[in-house]
PDB file of all heavy atoms in Angstrom:
ATOM      1  N   LEU A 605       1.004  -1.709 -19.811  1.00 97.00           N
ATOM      2  CA  LEU A 605       0.120  -0.609 -19.389  1.00 97.00           C
ATOM      3  C   LEU A 605       0.722   0.754 -19.727  1.00 97.00           C
ATOM      4  O   LEU A 605       0.050   1.603 -20.312  1.00 97.00           O
ATOM      5  CB  LEU A 605      -0.134  -0.704 -17.890  1.00 97.00           C
ATOM      6  CG  LEU A 605      -0.943  -1.921 -17.438  1.00 97.00           C
ATOM      7  CD1 LEU A 605      -1.109  -1.918 -15.922  1.00 97.00           C
ATOM      8  CD2 LEU A 605      -2.297  -1.971 -18.106  1.00 97.00           C
ATOM      9  N   VAL A 672      -0.329 -11.153 -19.034  1.00 94.00           N
ATOM     10  CA  VAL A 672      -0.979  -9.908 -18.674  1.00 94.00           C
ATOM     11  C   VAL A 672      -2.458  -9.962 -19.095  1.00 94.00           C
ATOM     12  O   VAL A 672      -3.369  -9.601 -18.339  1.00 94.00           O
ATOM     13  CB  VAL A 672      -0.300  -8.685 -19.307  1.00 94.00           C
ATOM     14  CG1 VAL A 672      -1.008  -7.406 -18.917  1.00 94.00           C
ATOM     15  CG2 VAL A 672       1.159  -8.656 -18.894  1.00 94.00           C
ATOM     16  N   GLY A 673      -2.692 -10.387 -20.310  1.00 94.00           N
ATOM     17  CA  GLY A 673      -4.036 -10.550 -20.816  1.00 94.00           C
ATOM     18  C   GLY A 673      -4.501 -11.976 -20.726  1.00 94.00           C
ATOM     19  O   GLY A 673      -3.762 -12.870 -20.272  1.00 94.00           O
ATOM     20  N   SER A 674      -5.726 -12.253 -21.139  1.00 95.00           N
ATOM     21  CA  SER A 674      -6.277 -13.605 -21.064  1.00 95.00           C
ATOM     22  C   SER A 674      -6.916 -13.959 -22.405  1.00 95.00           C
ATOM     23  O   SER A 674      -7.448 -13.108 -23.106  1.00 95.00           O
ATOM     24  CB  SER A 674      -7.331 -13.675 -19.954  1.00 95.00           C
ATOM     25  OG  SER A 674      -7.959 -14.919 -19.952  1.00 95.00           O
ATOM     26  N   SER A 678     -13.703 -11.826 -20.042  1.00 95.00           N
ATOM     27  CA  SER A 678     -13.878 -11.664 -18.603  1.00 95.00           C
ATOM     28  C   SER A 678     -14.943 -10.616 -18.255  1.00 95.00           C
ATOM     29  O   SER A 678     -15.196  -9.716 -19.038  1.00 95.00           O
ATOM     30  CB  SER A 678     -12.540 -11.255 -17.973  1.00 95.00           C
ATOM     31  OG  SER A 678     -12.068 -10.034 -18.584  1.00 95.00           O
ATOM     32  N   PHE A 679     -15.523 -10.786 -17.071  1.00 95.00           N
ATOM     33  CA  PHE A 679     -16.449  -9.781 -16.534  1.00 95.00           C
ATOM     34  C   PHE A 679     -15.900  -9.276 -15.225  1.00 95.00           C
ATOM     35  O   PHE A 679     -15.221  -8.284 -15.157  1.00 95.00           O
ATOM     36  CB  PHE A 679     -17.849 -10.376 -16.373  1.00 95.00           C
ATOM     37  CG  PHE A 679     -18.870  -9.387 -15.849  1.00 95.00           C
ATOM     38  CD1 PHE A 679     -19.076  -8.193 -16.489  1.00 95.00           C
ATOM     39  CD2 PHE A 679     -19.599  -9.670 -14.731  1.00 95.00           C
ATOM     40  CE1 PHE A 679     -19.999  -7.247 -16.035  1.00 95.00           C
ATOM     41  CE2 PHE A 679     -20.538  -8.748 -14.238  1.00 95.00           C
ATOM     42  CZ  PHE A 679     -20.729  -7.547 -14.893  1.00 95.00           C
ATOM     43  N   ASP A 682     -12.178 -14.057 -15.345  1.00 92.00           N
ATOM     44  CA  ASP A 682     -12.326 -14.848 -16.575  1.00 92.00           C
ATOM     45  C   ASP A 682     -13.554 -15.714 -16.542  1.00 92.00           C
ATOM     46  O   ASP A 682     -13.904 -16.305 -15.492  1.00 92.00           O
ATOM     47  CB  ASP A 682     -11.088 -15.726 -16.779  1.00 92.00           C
ATOM     48  CG  ASP A 682      -9.882 -14.940 -17.271  1.00 92.00           C
ATOM     49  OD1 ASP A 682     -10.092 -13.814 -17.738  1.00 92.00           O
ATOM     50  OD2 ASP A 682      -8.756 -15.440 -17.151  1.00 92.00           O
ATOM     51  N   VAL A 700     -11.023  -2.985 -27.818  1.00 98.00           N
ATOM     52  CA  VAL A 700     -11.171  -2.291 -26.531  1.00 98.00           C
ATOM     53  C   VAL A 700     -10.327  -1.031 -26.516  1.00 98.00           C
ATOM     54  O   VAL A 700     -10.779   0.014 -26.020  1.00 98.00           O
ATOM     55  CB  VAL A 700     -10.791  -3.237 -25.359  1.00 98.00           C
ATOM     56  CG1 VAL A 700     -10.784  -2.472 -24.031  1.00 98.00           C
ATOM     57  CG2 VAL A 700     -11.761  -4.404 -25.243  1.00 98.00           C
ATOM     58  N   ALA A 704     -12.008   2.580 -26.061  1.00 98.00           N
ATOM     59  CA  ALA A 704     -11.666   3.404 -24.885  1.00 98.00           C
ATOM     60  C   ALA A 704     -11.017   4.725 -25.307  1.00 98.00           C
ATOM     61  O   ALA A 704     -11.353   5.785 -24.765  1.00 98.00           O
ATOM     62  CB  ALA A 704     -10.738   2.633 -23.961  1.00 98.00           C
ATOM     63  N   VAL A 725     -12.516   6.576 -12.924  1.00 98.00           N
ATOM     64  CA  VAL A 725     -12.322   5.248 -13.485  1.00 98.00           C
ATOM     65  C   VAL A 725     -10.968   4.667 -13.063  1.00 98.00           C
ATOM     66  O   VAL A 725     -10.871   3.512 -12.658  1.00 98.00           O
ATOM     67  CB  VAL A 725     -12.425   5.274 -15.037  1.00 98.00           C
ATOM     68  CG1 VAL A 725     -12.077   3.930 -15.640  1.00 98.00           C
ATOM     69  CG2 VAL A 725     -13.835   5.696 -15.455  1.00 98.00           C
ATOM     70  N   TYR A 729      -9.999   1.387 -10.720  1.00 98.00           N
ATOM     71  CA  TYR A 729      -9.073   0.309 -11.094  1.00 98.00           C
ATOM     72  C   TYR A 729      -7.954   0.129 -10.093  1.00 98.00           C
ATOM     73  O   TYR A 729      -7.467  -0.978  -9.882  1.00 98.00           O
ATOM     74  CB  TYR A 729      -8.517   0.545 -12.510  1.00 98.00           C
ATOM     75  CG  TYR A 729      -9.409  -0.019 -13.587  1.00 98.00           C
ATOM     76  CD1 TYR A 729      -9.909   0.795 -14.597  1.00 98.00           C
ATOM     77  CD2 TYR A 729      -9.761  -1.378 -13.575  1.00 98.00           C
ATOM     78  CE1 TYR A 729     -10.735   0.249 -15.575  1.00 98.00           C
ATOM     79  CE2 TYR A 729     -10.598  -1.893 -14.544  1.00 98.00           C
ATOM     80  CZ  TYR A 729     -11.080  -1.083 -15.535  1.00 98.00           C
ATOM     81  OH  TYR A 729     -11.896  -1.611 -16.498  1.00 98.00           O
ATOM     82  N   GLN A 736      -7.320  -7.285  -5.649  1.00 94.00           N
ATOM     83  CA  GLN A 736      -6.821  -8.506  -6.247  1.00 94.00           C
ATOM     84  C   GLN A 736      -5.447  -8.870  -5.694  1.00 94.00           C
ATOM     85  O   GLN A 736      -5.142 -10.067  -5.489  1.00 94.00           O
ATOM     86  CB  GLN A 736      -6.753  -8.343  -7.763  1.00 94.00           C
ATOM     87  CG  GLN A 736      -8.097  -8.252  -8.451  1.00 94.00           C
ATOM     88  CD  GLN A 736      -8.015  -7.989  -9.928  1.00 94.00           C
ATOM     89  OE1 GLN A 736      -7.057  -7.398 -10.425  1.00 94.00           O
ATOM     90  NE2 GLN A 736      -9.010  -8.423 -10.689  1.00 94.00           N
ATOM     91  N   ILE A 763      -0.428  -3.085 -11.312  1.00 96.00           N
ATOM     92  CA  ILE A 763      -1.607  -2.456 -11.895  1.00 96.00           C
ATOM     93  C   ILE A 763      -2.132  -1.377 -10.977  1.00 96.00           C
ATOM     94  O   ILE A 763      -2.465  -0.264 -11.425  1.00 96.00           O
ATOM     95  CB  ILE A 763      -2.706  -3.524 -12.154  1.00 96.00           C
ATOM     96  CG1 ILE A 763      -2.164  -4.630 -13.066  1.00 96.00           C
ATOM     97  CG2 ILE A 763      -3.939  -2.879 -12.772  1.00 96.00           C
ATOM     98  CD1 ILE A 763      -3.090  -5.847 -13.158  1.00 96.00           C
ATOM     99  N   GLY A 798      -7.259   6.798 -22.644  1.00 98.00           N
ATOM    100  CA  GLY A 798      -8.068   5.705 -23.166  1.00 98.00           C
ATOM    101  C   GLY A 798      -7.269   4.419 -23.329  1.00 98.00           C
ATOM    102  O   GLY A 798      -7.745   3.331 -22.987  1.00 98.00           O
ATOM    103  N   GLY A 799      -6.022   4.551 -23.805  1.00 98.00           N
ATOM    104  CA  GLY A 799      -5.177   3.370 -23.947  1.00 98.00           C
ATOM    105  C   GLY A 799      -4.876   2.740 -22.597  1.00 98.00           C
ATOM    106  O   GLY A 799      -4.910   1.491 -22.459  1.00 98.00           O
ATOM    107  N   LEU A 800      -4.622   3.546 -21.580  1.00 98.00           N
ATOM    108  CA  LEU A 800      -4.348   3.008 -20.229  1.00 98.00           C
ATOM    109  C   LEU A 800      -5.596   2.353 -19.653  1.00 98.00           C
ATOM    110  O   LEU A 800      -5.485   1.279 -19.059  1.00 98.00           O
ATOM    111  CB  LEU A 800      -3.851   4.139 -19.307  1.00 98.00           C
ATOM    112  CG  LEU A 800      -3.578   3.691 -17.872  1.00 98.00           C
ATOM    113  CD1 LEU A 800      -2.500   2.640 -17.818  1.00 98.00           C
ATOM    114  CD2 LEU A 800      -3.176   4.906 -17.038  1.00 98.00           C
ATOM    115  N   ILE A 801      -6.730   2.964 -19.795  1.00 98.00           N
ATOM    116  CA  ILE A 801      -7.970   2.396 -19.282  1.00 98.00           C
ATOM    117  C   ILE A 801      -8.260   1.057 -19.928  1.00 98.00           C
ATOM    118  O   ILE A 801      -8.675   0.082 -19.265  1.00 98.00           O
ATOM    119  CB  ILE A 801      -9.149   3.386 -19.461  1.00 98.00           C
ATOM    120  CG1 ILE A 801      -8.977   4.561 -18.479  1.00 98.00           C
ATOM    121  CG2 ILE A 801     -10.494   2.707 -19.197  1.00 98.00           C
ATOM    122  CD1 ILE A 801      -9.933   5.711 -18.720  1.00 98.00           C
ATOM    123  N   ALA A 802      -8.034   0.971 -21.249  1.00 98.00           N
ATOM    124  CA  ALA A 802      -8.203  -0.319 -21.935  1.00 98.00           C
ATOM    125  C   ALA A 802      -7.254  -1.370 -21.351  1.00 98.00           C
ATOM    126  O   ALA A 802      -7.647  -2.520 -21.134  1.00 98.00           O
ATOM    127  CB  ALA A 802      -7.961  -0.141 -23.449  1.00 98.00           C
ATOM    128  N   GLY A 803      -6.014  -0.968 -21.088  1.00 97.00           N
ATOM    129  CA  GLY A 803      -5.050  -1.870 -20.492  1.00 97.00           C
ATOM    130  C   GLY A 803      -5.457  -2.321 -19.100  1.00 97.00           C
ATOM    131  O   GLY A 803      -5.239  -3.473 -18.710  1.00 97.00           O
ATOM    132  N   MET A 804      -6.061  -1.421 -18.358  1.00 98.00           N
ATOM    133  CA  MET A 804      -6.542  -1.770 -16.990  1.00 98.00           C
ATOM    134  C   MET A 804      -7.620  -2.839 -17.064  1.00 98.00           C
ATOM    135  O   MET A 804      -7.631  -3.810 -16.288  1.00 98.00           O
ATOM    136  CB  MET A 804      -7.085  -0.530 -16.303  1.00 98.00           C
ATOM    137  CG  MET A 804      -6.045   0.487 -15.914  1.00 98.00           C
ATOM    138  SD  MET A 804      -5.028  -0.160 -14.580  1.00 98.00           S
ATOM    139  CE  MET A 804      -3.579   0.900 -14.731  1.00 98.00           C
ATOM    140  N   ALA A 805      -8.549  -2.703 -18.000  1.00 98.00           N
ATOM    141  CA  ALA A 805      -9.616  -3.662 -18.154  1.00 98.00           C
ATOM    142  C   ALA A 805      -9.066  -5.032 -18.551  1.00 98.00           C
ATOM    143  O   ALA A 805      -9.516  -6.076 -18.023  1.00 98.00           O
ATOM    144  CB  ALA A 805     -10.612  -3.187 -19.213  1.00 98.00           C
ATOM    145  N   MET A 806      -8.066  -5.031 -19.435  1.00 97.00           N
ATOM    146  CA  MET A 806      -7.472  -6.282 -19.869  1.00 97.00           C
ATOM    147  C   MET A 806      -6.694  -6.964 -18.737  1.00 97.00           C
ATOM    148  O   MET A 806      -6.856  -8.151 -18.498  1.00 97.00           O
ATOM    149  CB  MET A 806      -6.533  -5.995 -21.033  1.00 97.00           C
ATOM    150  CG  MET A 806      -5.646  -7.161 -21.441  1.00 97.00           C
ATOM    151  SD  MET A 806      -4.419  -6.675 -22.692  1.00 97.00           S
ATOM    152  CE  MET A 806      -3.440  -5.499 -21.735  1.00 97.00           C
ATOM    153  N   SER A 807      -5.875  -6.198 -18.046  1.00 96.00           N
ATOM    154  CA  SER A 807      -4.959  -6.779 -17.034  1.00 96.00           C
ATOM    155  C   SER A 807      -5.666  -7.208 -15.744  1.00 96.00           C
ATOM    156  O   SER A 807      -5.229  -8.142 -15.067  1.00 96.00           O
ATOM    157  CB  SER A 807      -3.831  -5.799 -16.702  1.00 96.00           C
ATOM    158  OG  SER A 807      -4.347  -4.583 -16.226  1.00 96.00           O
ATOM    159  N   THR A 808      -6.779  -6.550 -15.424  1.00 97.00           N
ATOM    160  CA  THR A 808      -7.542  -6.934 -14.228  1.00 97.00           C
ATOM    161  C   THR A 808      -8.612  -7.988 -14.540  1.00 97.00           C
ATOM    162  O   THR A 808      -9.373  -8.380 -13.653  1.00 97.00           O
ATOM    163  CB  THR A 808      -8.207  -5.726 -13.563  1.00 97.00           C
ATOM    164  OG1 THR A 808      -9.067  -5.070 -14.510  1.00 97.00           O
ATOM    165  CG2 THR A 808      -7.188  -4.737 -13.025  1.00 97.00           C
ATOM    166  N   ARG A 809      -8.682  -8.383 -15.808  1.00 96.00           N
ATOM    167  CA  ARG A 809      -9.667  -9.362 -16.275  1.00 96.00           C
ATOM    168  C   ARG A 809     -11.106  -8.867 -16.016  1.00 96.00           C
ATOM    169  O   ARG A 809     -11.943  -9.590 -15.484  1.00 96.00           O
ATOM    170  CB  ARG A 809      -9.443 -10.716 -15.588  1.00 96.00           C
ATOM    171  CG  ARG A 809      -7.973 -11.210 -15.610  1.00 96.00           C
ATOM    172  CD  ARG A 809      -7.495 -11.526 -17.001  1.00 96.00           C
ATOM    173  NE  ARG A 809      -6.055 -11.751 -17.051  1.00 96.00           N
ATOM    174  CZ  ARG A 809      -5.442 -12.913 -16.806  1.00 96.00           C
ATOM    175  NH1 ARG A 809      -6.158 -13.955 -16.477  1.00 96.00           N
ATOM    176  NH2 ARG A 809      -4.162 -13.002 -16.903  1.00 96.00           N
ATOM    177  N   THR A 810     -11.355  -7.605 -16.407  1.00 97.00           N
ATOM    178  CA  THR A 810     -12.690  -7.024 -16.236  1.00 97.00           C
ATOM    179  C   THR A 810     -13.143  -6.336 -17.529  1.00 97.00           C
ATOM    180  O   THR A 810     -13.741  -5.262 -17.491  1.00 97.00           O
ATOM    181  CB  THR A 810     -12.668  -5.995 -15.102  1.00 97.00           C
ATOM    182  OG1 THR A 810     -11.648  -5.000 -15.342  1.00 97.00           O
ATOM    183  CG2 THR A 810     -12.411  -6.648 -13.741  1.00 97.00           C
ATOM    184  N   ILE A 811     -12.864  -6.954 -18.659  1.00 97.00           N
ATOM    185  CA  ILE A 811     -13.154  -6.314 -19.947  1.00 97.00           C
ATOM    186  C   ILE A 811     -14.642  -5.992 -20.119  1.00 97.00           C
ATOM    187  O   ILE A 811     -15.010  -4.893 -20.535  1.00 97.00           O
ATOM    188  CB  ILE A 811     -12.654  -7.219 -21.104  1.00 97.00           C
ATOM    189  CG1 ILE A 811     -11.132  -7.060 -21.233  1.00 97.00           C
ATOM    190  CG2 ILE A 811     -13.330  -6.822 -22.420  1.00 97.00           C
ATOM    191  CD1 ILE A 811     -10.528  -7.888 -22.372  1.00 97.00           C
ATOM    192  N   LEU A 812     -15.514  -6.946 -19.756  1.00 97.00           N
ATOM    193  CA  LEU A 812     -16.953  -6.705 -19.946  1.00 97.00           C
ATOM    194  C   LEU A 812     -17.526  -5.839 -18.818  1.00 97.00           C
ATOM    195  O   LEU A 812     -18.693  -5.399 -18.936  1.00 97.00           O
ATOM    196  CB  LEU A 812     -17.695  -8.046 -20.013  1.00 97.00           C
ATOM    197  CG  LEU A 812     -17.313  -8.947 -21.208  1.00 97.00           C
ATOM    198  CD1 LEU A 812     -18.114 -10.257 -21.178  1.00 97.00           C
ATOM    199  CD2 LEU A 812     -17.534  -8.219 -22.527  1.00 97.00           C
ATOM    200  N   LEU A 813     -16.738  -5.579 -17.779  1.00 97.00           N
ATOM    201  CA  LEU A 813     -17.173  -4.641 -16.720  1.00 97.00           C
ATOM    202  C   LEU A 813     -16.860  -3.208 -17.126  1.00 97.00           C
ATOM    203  O   LEU A 813     -17.486  -2.275 -16.613  1.00 97.00           O
ATOM    204  CB  LEU A 813     -16.473  -5.000 -15.420  1.00 97.00           C
ATOM    205  CG  LEU A 813     -16.885  -4.213 -14.148  1.00 97.00           C
ATOM    206  CD1 LEU A 813     -18.324  -4.553 -13.768  1.00 97.00           C
ATOM    207  CD2 LEU A 813     -15.956  -4.517 -13.003  1.00 97.00           C
ATOM    208  N   LEU A 814     -15.939  -3.018 -18.052  1.00 98.00           N
ATOM    209  CA  LEU A 814     -15.521  -1.683 -18.470  1.00 98.00           C
ATOM    210  C   LEU A 814     -16.660  -0.795 -18.967  1.00 98.00           C
ATOM    211  O   LEU A 814     -16.715   0.390 -18.634  1.00 98.00           O
ATOM    212  CB  LEU A 814     -14.410  -1.778 -19.528  1.00 98.00           C
ATOM    213  CG  LEU A 814     -13.887  -0.450 -20.099  1.00 98.00           C
ATOM    214  CD1 LEU A 814     -13.368   0.446 -18.975  1.00 98.00           C
ATOM    215  CD2 LEU A 814     -12.826  -0.685 -21.144  1.00 98.00           C
ATOM    216  N   PRO A 815     -17.611  -1.327 -19.770  1.00 97.00           N
ATOM    217  CA  PRO A 815     -18.722  -0.452 -20.224  1.00 97.00           C
ATOM    218  C   PRO A 815     -19.554   0.089 -19.054  1.00 97.00           C
ATOM    219  O   PRO A 815     -20.140   1.188 -19.212  1.00 97.00           O
ATOM    220  CB  PRO A 815     -19.585  -1.397 -21.089  1.00 97.00           C
ATOM    221  CG  PRO A 815     -18.611  -2.433 -21.577  1.00 97.00           C
ATOM    222  CD  PRO A 815     -17.662  -2.648 -20.445  1.00 97.00           C
ATOM    223  N   LEU A 817     -18.162   0.502 -15.797  1.00 97.00           N
ATOM    224  CA  LEU A 817     -17.202   1.345 -15.096  1.00 97.00           C
ATOM    225  C   LEU A 817     -16.991   2.670 -15.808  1.00 97.00           C
ATOM    226  O   LEU A 817     -16.916   3.732 -15.204  1.00 97.00           O
ATOM    227  CB  LEU A 817     -15.899   0.596 -14.962  1.00 97.00           C
ATOM    228  CG  LEU A 817     -14.855   1.103 -13.984  1.00 97.00           C
ATOM    229  CD1 LEU A 817     -15.407   1.117 -12.546  1.00 97.00           C
ATOM    230  CD2 LEU A 817     -13.613   0.230 -14.025  1.00 97.00           C
TER     231      LEU A 817
END
Side-chain angles (χ1 to χ4, degrees):
L605 294 179
V672 180
S674 174
S678 57
F679 181 55
D682 285 343
V700 173
V725 174
Y729 272 123
Q736 291 176 333
I763 302 169
L800 179 60
I801 289 171
M804 289 290 160
M806 170 188 64
S807 59
T808 58
R809 311 294 170 85
T810 55
I811 282 181
L812 297 180
L813 186 67
L814 178 57
L817 194 60

